[in-house]
Amino acid sequence: MYMKINQQYIKNANMKRLYSVLKNNTDGSRASLARETGLSKTTVSSLIDELILKEFVADNGVAASGMVGRNPSHLSLTGDRHCVAAIYWEPECMRGTLVSLSGNVIQRQSRTVGDNSIYSKELYQLFQALVKKDRTSCQVIGLCIIMPAMIDKKNQRILSTILSLENDTNDTSVIENIRKEFGMLPIAFFNDTACLAYAEKLLARQEENTFAYVNLDQGIGAALFVDGKILGGASGTNTQFGHYSVDTNGIPCACGNRGCLEVMVGERALERLLTECGGSEALKVQYSLGYSDIGRAALSGDPAALGVIHYIADNLAAGLSNLISLFRPERIILGGSGRNLGIQFLEELIHTVKSHGFQRMVEEVQINYSALGEDACFTGAMEYYFDNCFRFTEDMEGRTFLG
């Protein structure tokens, strides 16, 4: 049994290698794949034939090579033949997409959710709407549920989240309820910050092997790449950056600590911070303040908004300096709605970080905003699922992956 599992693992790994080479090389042939991977021509031919049969690869026939002798067949990926459903579950809305393996978002749907929603059913209905609307005949190979949450692999549960999950618990866990709704469809539960960080590595082609992605939103999270690999996978449990305490006498947090970054400078703290900074005539009619409101007001010179930016920069710098001292990232990328705080905030944060922590380390690190668009979370989830969960050689029905 062990030998069989080991052989299947090796076979899948080799198929993934071939797929990856074809993804980065539009001029692929069986012979060139053998040269690039070091696999024998017989092995490559056998695995490619299987990938063609599964419709992940296409044989486009003989292509002119300019070489003496028999011209090789040209191979290419059928990236739009298969897709991953990715649903970003946020406090007030679920945003769903179908993302092809080539990275194209081929379908979108959204659904508003409220305090009385049965979330497992809302997720299922959104998924059904996505599949029903799709006209491309793309085969769904898995569903990724992206959450602003810590996902506990060991105990198969959601450990901490800004979502309200009470309606879906009863005597079972949220994960169990969702699993029941979707039958045999493979499902993966991922932390949102981890998906964004994975997209940053692959899509923005970060050259640094060790970097941190910090997600500033209603909650605050961080994901770390160390030596080219994401620390702790996509569970969000290894680095609870949002629960770094920057004030031991600060506001109580739901985690049991005081003065956590999330409650001190997260987007939900803005109304309190604005009041503490003297209030703002320009923003007093806002029903729900966001980082974008503060950023715009600060750009106009609003004193209270500038005070809020100074406060956020000072507290976030304290947290980042500890992160830098622990992991020594070469770069810190700021993402989420926090990017809307603007260039004034970024410049102040960079300056303030240099006054904290281990000086040589904080002086060397680069800090910048993410340049990826709103689809980054979905494409990051698709890429992570395909790279780390999906298996060419296994029956995927009914599988559940946590992070």
Side-chain angles (χ1 to χ4, degrees):
M1 183 66 179
Y2 172 79
M3 181 62 70
K4 182 179 179 181
I5 292 173
N6 192 47
Q7 288 174 344
Q8 290 291 85
Y9 176 85
I10 294 170
K11 181 179 178 181
N12 178 72
N14 286 335
M15 292 174 86
K16 286 284 185 75
R17 286 176 67 194
L18 294 171
Y19 192 94
S20 178
V21 171
L22 281 173
K23 187 175 184 179
N24 297 304
N25 183 2
T26 58
D27 196 24
S29 67
R30 288 172 174 81
S32 66
L33 288 171
R35 286 194 300 271
E36 291 199 43
T37 62
L39 298 171
S40 71
K41 291 181 180 180
T42 302
T43 298
V44 168
S45 186
S46 174
L47 295 180
I48 286 296
D49 285 346
E50 193 165 335
L51 287 170
I52 291 172
L53 185 64
K54 294 174 182 289
E55 297 186 299
F56 285 94
V57 171
D59 187 330
N60 303 305
V62 175
S65 66
M67 298 173 65
V68 176
R70 183 179 176 184
N71 289 327
S73 293
H74 177 262
L75 304 170
S76 64
L77 300 182
T78 58
D80 290 331
R81 180 67 183 86
H82 298 84
C83 64
V84 171
I87 298 176
Y88 195 173
W89 179 1
E90 299 175 281
E92 298 172 356
C93 179
M94 293 177 179
R95 293 185 288 137
T97 60
L98 293 181
V99 187
S100 71
L101 295 190
S102 60
N104 297 317
V105 175
I106 58 177
Q107 199 54 258
R108 302 175 192 272
Q109 286 282 311
S110 62
R111 195 174 186 90
T112 301
V113 292
D115 293 338
N116 297 319
S117 296
I118 304 299
Y119 300 112
S120 55
K121 296 188 181 300
E122 297 283 356
L123 285 164
Y124 183 71
Q125 289 170 12
L126 178 55
F127 172 76
Q128 289 293 328
L130 275 170
V131 175
K132 185 177 180 180
K133 190 177 178 182
D134 180 45
R135 296 290 182 269
T136 65
S137 301
C138 191
Q139 182 182 345
V140 178
I141 62 171
L143 166 65
C144 300
I145 297 176
I146 308 160
M147 307 173 70
M150 294 168 59
I151 300 164
D152 185 352
K153 296 182 185 181
K154 182 179 179 181
N155 297 300
Q156 303 278 297
R157 60 176 180 162
I158 306 301
L159 193 58
S160 174
T161 181
I162 60 174
L163 300 172
S164 298
L165 303 178
E166 290 81 3
N167 295 337
D168 270 68
T169 52
N170 298 323
D171 295 326
T172 57
S173 73
V174 175
I175 291 171
E176 287 180 80
N177 284 332
I178 293 171
R179 176 73 275 173
K180 290 175 183 176
E181 286 289 336
F182 283 89
M184 299 305 289
L185 182 72
I187 301 178
F189 294 83
F190 295 151
N191 170 264
D192 57 348
T193 303
C195 293
L196 288 163
Y198 207 75
E200 206 70 42
K201 179 66 177 176
L202 295 182
L203 304 181
R205 300 188 182 279
Q206 286 296 323
E207 295 180 358
E208 294 85 0
N209 278 328
T210 301
F211 72 90
Y213 182 95
V214 176
N215 190 19
L216 301 178
D217 221 293
Q218 290 189 34
I220 294 178
L224 298 169
F225 269 83
V226 178
D227 295 331
K229 296 183 179 180
I230 189 167
L231 190 64
S235 65
T237 56
N238 278 53
T239 307
Q240 272 310 295
F241 184 67
H243 295 285
Y244 275 28
S245 176
V246 291
D247 183 356
T248 55
N249 297 312
I251 299 168
C253 179
C255 74
N257 202 356
R258 281 182 173 270
C260 293
L261 278 171
E262 194 162 290
V263 295
M264 299 294 280
V265 300
E267 204 164 29
R268 292 178 295 177
L270 293 180
E271 187 175 347
R272 171 182 59 81
L273 294 179
L274 197 66
T275 300
E276 290 177 359
C277 290
S280 168
E281 285 295 314
L283 296 174
K284 69 178 182 180
V285 296
Q286 295 291 126
Y287 294 104
S288 179
L289 281 173
Y291 287 130
S292 58
D293 301 309
I294 299 297
R296 282 194 300 269
L299 193 61
S300 301
D302 184 271
L306 288 168
V308 171
I309 277 185
H310 175 77
Y311 182 89
I312 295 175
D314 189 53
N315 282 272
L316 185 59
L320 288 178
S321 66
N322 289 327
L323 191 72
I324 293 166
S325 296
L326 281 170
F327 295 99
R328 199 174 186 178
E330 299 167 78
R331 184 177 298 276
I332 293 173
I333 302 163
L334 302 180
S337 58
R339 291 181 292 180
N340 296 320
L341 288 169
I343 192 63
Q344 288 173 286
F345 169 74
L346 182 61
E347 289 175 350
E348 183 158 355
L349 177 65
I350 292 170
H351 173 77
T352 308
V353 162
K354 292 179 180 179
S355 66
H356 288 271
F358 191 94
Q359 286 303 298
R360 181 173 295 178
M361 288 187 182
V362 296
E363 286 173 359
E364 291 176 351
V365 70
Q366 302 294 310
I367 303 176
N368 61 270
Y369 284 135
S370 171
L372 295 180
E374 292 187 1
D375 288 337
C377 197
F378 303 115
T379 50
M382 180 278 291
E383 296 281 5
Y384 187 90
Y385 174 82
F386 183 76
D387 289 347
N388 298 278
C389 304
F390 180 74
R391 299 288 183 268
F392 286 118
T393 56
E394 296 177 19
D395 182 0
M396 299 296 292
E397 287 192 358
R399 299 286 297 275
T400 302
F401 304 91
L402 302 181

